[in-house]
């Protein structure tokens, strides 16, 4: 069984950076994409970024303005989300996701989810 686990998030000030990671401690994933979603307080879960199996293709939510970078290290079985210039509106629970090629083509979610990690950005 796939078991995605996000790293601990954190509380930062606006303008600071933070990197999230996600590991799969379960059985190896099929060669699908992986990605990140987030859920802001009182809102639904939204796509943030997706990446293909080899890291050559990425997709980002348009409003991020290039502040986030998704990457993966397949040798370590880790997915990353590097977040720069964080804003209070980035405050959310961030979820690791995997299981479909749509993650890096349309931003649709796969069937595997992590438990989520809280990121709080203060102004």
């Amino acid at each position: 069984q796939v078991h995605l686990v996000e790293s601990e998030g954190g509380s930062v000030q606006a303008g600071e950076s933070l990197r999230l990671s996600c590991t799969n401690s379960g059985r190896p994933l099929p060669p699908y994409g992986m990605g990140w979603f987030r859920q802001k307080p009182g809102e639904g879960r939204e796509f943030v970024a997706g990446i293909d199996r080899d890291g050559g293709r990425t997709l980002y939510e348009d409003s991020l303005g290039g502040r986030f970078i998704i990457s993966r290290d397949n040798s370590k079985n880790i997915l990353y989300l590097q977040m720069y210039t964080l804003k209070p509106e980035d405050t959310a629970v961030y979820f690791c996701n995997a299981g479909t090629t749509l993650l890096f083509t349309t931003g649709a979610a796969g069937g595997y989810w992590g438990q989520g990690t809280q990121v709080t950005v203060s102004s």
Side-chain angles (χ1 to χ4, degrees):
Q1 183 165 342
V2 173
H3 184 55
L4 301 176
V5 180
E6 296 95 342
S7 60
E8 186 174 347
S11 295
V12 298
Q13 296 292 314
E16 293 183 342
S17 301
L18 189 65
R19 187 177 76 166
L20 303 179
S21 62
C22 171
T23 59
N24 173 25
S25 61
R27 66 176 174 82
L29 282 165
Y32 295 145
M34 296 188 74
W36 293 92
F37 285 71
R38 66 185 180 186
Q39 187 164 12
K40 299 178 181 181
E43 299 183 13
R45 201 169 293 188
E46 64 178 10
F47 171 78
V48 174
I51 189 168
D52 70 351
R53 180 186 183 217
D54 299 320
R57 293 182 62 182
T58 57
L59 181 69
Y60 295 93
E61 199 278 323
D62 289 341
S63 70
L64 294 177
R67 297 182 297 115
F68 291 10
I69 299 175
I70 188 172
S71 63
R72 63 192 295 174
D73 185 339
N74 289 334
S75 68
K76 298 180 181 178
N77 211 23
I78 299 178
L79 174 73
Y80 298 103
L81 183 68
Q82 177 68 56
M83 304 182 288
Y84 296 103
T85 319
L86 282 161
K87 304 176 180 180
E89 51 264 43
D90 294 318
T91 295
V93 178
Y94 284 73
F95 296 89
C96 178
N97 182 260
T100 175
T101 57
L102 296 178
L103 277 163
F104 56 89
T105 56
T106 68
Y112 304 106
W113 292 95
Q115 81 286 357
T117 188
Q118 177 70 46
V119 172
T120 302
V121 185
S122 302
S123 58

